[in-house]
Amino acid sequence: MRIIDQRALPEAEITRDLESAESVADAIRTLQVRGAPLIGIAAAMGLVAAMRDDRALARATFLGRLNQRATLLGAARPTAVNLRWALERMLTTAAATAGEGSNLWERLHVEATSIWEEDRAMCRRIGEYGLSILSDGANVLTHCNTGALATGGIGTALAPIYLAHEQGRRLHVYIDETRPLLQGSRLTAWELMHAGIACTLITDATAASLMRQAKVDTVLVGADRICANGDFANKIGTYGLAVLARHHGVPFYCAAPWSTVDASLAEGDLIPIEQRAPSEVTAMAGRPIAPDGAAALNPAFDVTPSRYVTAFITDRGIVQPPFRS
Amino acid sequence: MRIIDQRALPEAEITRDLESAESVADAIRTLQVRGAPLIGIAAAMGLVAAMRDDRALARATFLGRLNQRATLLGAARPTAVNLRWALERMLTTAAATAGEGSNLWERLHVEATSIWEEDRAMCRRIGEYGLSILSDGANVLTHCNTGALATGGIGTALAPIYLAHEQGRRLHVYIDETRPLLQGSRLTAWELMHAGIACTLITDATAASLMRQAKVDTVLVGADRICANGDFANKIGTYGLAVLARHHGVPFYCAAPWSTVDASLAEGDLIPIEQRAPSEVTAMAGRPIAPDGAAALNPAFDVTPSRYVTAFITDRGIVQPPFRS
């Protein structure tokens, strides 16, 4: 299984070949592979790669190993539900398939490929449904990276932007740099510039001022997990944008595949929020940017209550909560 | 005139001796010296240092040179009014003093020293007036740097925090890192840690989520210019905090010396906003963090309308607009 190490972008395009569940889990944990839909695909493909040498095993032993590895992969990151969704789908498929290890492995290979292909089609559908919210000349503000680098296709929140651009609509995208890991500067700017879409980087704290100056027509973000009531977790900073958008009368859309819905959670405050290392805030590219010993909080996500969301753009259409999986 | 180059903090404490108006203007422009009150003091002291070799000049020639250098210094940064306030005070003092160059220079030296001493006393008064808003156990959120490194004394927005700590009140300060130049991480964290005040760094986009969790009791910021109606300019990101504070019912205070009031401007949208180089956003410590050629907006300040401000903490007390200089 071959990945692009997203930590090195845009300075370098480094590819890695991963063969074990440990190395895939590590790639997910360290954000070499990131983006809620993509980590689901990576986990499914990673499971197939890791089980390749176990094809000769008898059914029960094969399933035992499969379960162990799925548990390992599922623990790599806690917030995005797509990871667990993809792994559960793989486990359910294996359980429902007759035969020994080699049969199961072949079927898992097909299933992982389906997850990827469905993701690609899902992105396109999100893009098509989302087209209606982007008029010619619109200024769109987005946060983090929700494009081709976060999915198996053209992205979630970026998908409508790609399709609108394809159709000749003139858009301009303000990209929040998205501290601490700068997915906006490093990844979204890279994607949009490659696609020839006009874009401008801003620091995260600049968005409010642009809204006050009426320079933002629409805010469009992704999601890592959406609860039954429509509360959702996304990259830290999303909630602040939602409040600011509401305050300034700017429509605020969340675009995500249906697999992001976790209807088992009634509301947002039940979503586990990943706390990442303080060093992501206090150092940058290995160089300290704060005094030695400074304390820092580094939640990777925040929760945006559903009432701030104008609508959810999904592969099943533009929808409103409540959601059932 | 000796300064600490604040760009190198907290990694290194580099001092520089500046003798010419050009070198002082350059130090202000490149943020070696920063903070609205401190750049006023630096400009006044810089004028004295630069005129030292002109003491032998006749009155008219001396005043001509003084005016030229004040114009140069005044153009170094456009938004903070304290810079122009201090320079105008120096020019008015020179004009009102009898005699030739040597007399004028001696008087200017006294005046610059007074500006510094008054600033120190002003900080203390802001701190004393501000004490009433900080109860024991409070969690305070602040943005940028408004402490000893931004003034000639104990700071503006940090002054009440220093005095409350001196009195034994237990405070905890959340420090916005303050992108792009990280004055929060580099300077405020350094100051508060040296003072033994509990503090935690956060990325700028984390503040909203902390407010939603009721972890912030008070927001306390400085100002670079306050208009007659109470609208004020401060570090980019301040306006967003003001909206978020209002939305969550968190008191939002602006602490600044009276010299920050520019009553000649009726309202905030008349304040000139300094646009700094995009490279401050797209690179960090000389290393690119965005693709080559990426466009970026980099306004150094934003404007917060007066209606979001609970009260202004000044050296003349806790006050409400309208203001007259």
Side-chain angles (χ1 to χ4, degrees), chain A residues 26-48:
Chain A
D26 188 59
I28 292 172
R29 197 162 27 234
T30 59
L31 310 187
Q32 296 174 47
V33 171
R34 47 147 296 285
L38 189 60
I39 64 180
I41 297 168
M45 301 298 286
L47 215 43
V48 173

Side-chain angles (χ1 to χ4, degrees), chain A residues 11 177 179 185-186 193 201 205 208 212 237 239-240 243 247-248 269 284-285 287 289-292 295-297 303 308, chain B residues 11 177 179 185-186 193 201 205 208 212 237 239-240 243 247-248 269 284-285 287 289-292 295-297 303 308:
Chain A
E11 284 186 291
E177 62 174 1
R179 279 281 292 154
S185 304
R186 296 190 301 105
M193 287 170 74
L201 278 171
R212 194 172 93 84
Y239 169 63
V243 172
H247 189 80
H248 294 89
D269 288 332
M284 208 152 170
R287 191 190 148 156
I289 54 175
D292 254 7
L297 265 185
V303 170
Y308 296 96
Chain B
E11 284 185 289
E177 62 172 2
R179 278 280 292 152
S185 305
R186 295 190 301 106
M193 287 169 73
L201 278 171
R212 194 172 93 82
Y239 169 63
V243 171
H247 189 80
H248 294 89
D269 289 333
M284 207 151 170
R287 192 191 148 156
I289 54 174
D292 254 6
L297 264 184
V303 170
Y308 296 96

Side-chain angles (χ1 to χ4, degrees), chain A residues 170-244:
Chain A
R170 288 156 306 176
L171 299 178
H172 171 255
V173 182
Y174 286 112
I175 306 171
D176 272 356
E177 62 174 1
T178 317
R179 279 281 292 154
L181 296 176
L182 300 169
Q183 291 92 340
S185 304
R186 296 190 301 105
L187 308 178
T188 301
W190 188 78
E191 279 197 26
L192 294 183
M193 287 170 74
H194 270 77
I197 296 171
C199 57
T200 305
L201 278 171
I202 54 171
T203 63
D204 302 325
T206 303
S209 174
L210 293 178
M211 289 191 207
R212 194 172 93 84
Q213 296 168 69
K215 290 184 176 167
V216 177
D217 300 307
T218 304
V219 177
L220 191 46
V221 299
D224 288 77
R225 193 184 309 209
I226 302 173
C227 297
N229 74 343
D231 296 353
F232 73 102
N234 192 46
K235 179 61 57 203
I236 187 78
T238 301
Y239 169 63
L241 287 178
V243 172
L244 291 167

Side-chain angles (χ1 to χ4, degrees), chain B residues 73-237:
Chain B
L73 284 161
R77 295 194 72 195
T79 301
V81 77
N82 317 60
L83 176 61
R84 293 188 305 141
W85 168 86
L87 290 168
E88 274 163 29
R89 180 164 157 181
M90 294 291 279
L91 294 180
T92 308
T93 298
T97 303
E100 304 304 312
S102 61
N103 280 31
L104 301 186
W105 188 83
E106 291 297 340
R107 185 65 192 80
L108 288 174
H109 196 176
V110 170
E111 192 69 14
T113 308
S114 296
I115 288 176
W116 190 343
E117 279 168 5
E118 289 167 25
D119 191 78
R120 199 192 320 263
M122 168 280 289
C123 289
R124 189 120 204 134
R125 280 199 301 278
I126 290 177
E128 284 161 1
Y129 285 121
L131 269 175
S132 65
I133 67 155
L134 296 176
S135 48
D136 191 43
N139 281 285
V140 183
L141 188 145
T142 191
H143 192 67
C144 200
N145 174 262
T146 58
L149 288 166
T151 64
I154 56 169
T156 55
L158 292 192
I161 293 170
Y162 280 122
L163 292 192
H165 176 72
E166 250 178 52
Q167 299 197 351
R169 295 189 206 167
R170 287 156 306 176
L171 299 178
H172 172 257
V173 182
Y174 286 112
I175 306 171
D176 272 356
E177 62 172 2
T178 317
R179 278 280 292 152
L181 296 177
L182 300 168
Q183 291 91 340
S185 305
R186 295 190 301 106
L187 308 179
T188 301
W190 187 78
E191 277 196 27
L192 294 183
M193 287 169 73
H194 269 77
I197 297 171
C199 57
T200 304
L201 278 171
I202 54 171
T203 63
D204 303 324
T206 302
S209 174
L210 293 179
M211 289 191 209
R212 194 172 93 82
Q213 296 167 70
K215 290 184 176 167
V216 177
D217 300 307
T218 305
V219 178
L220 190 46
V221 300
D224 288 77
R225 192 181 312 207
I226 302 173
C227 297
N229 74 343
D231 296 354
F232 73 101
N234 192 45
K235 179 61 56 204
I236 187 79

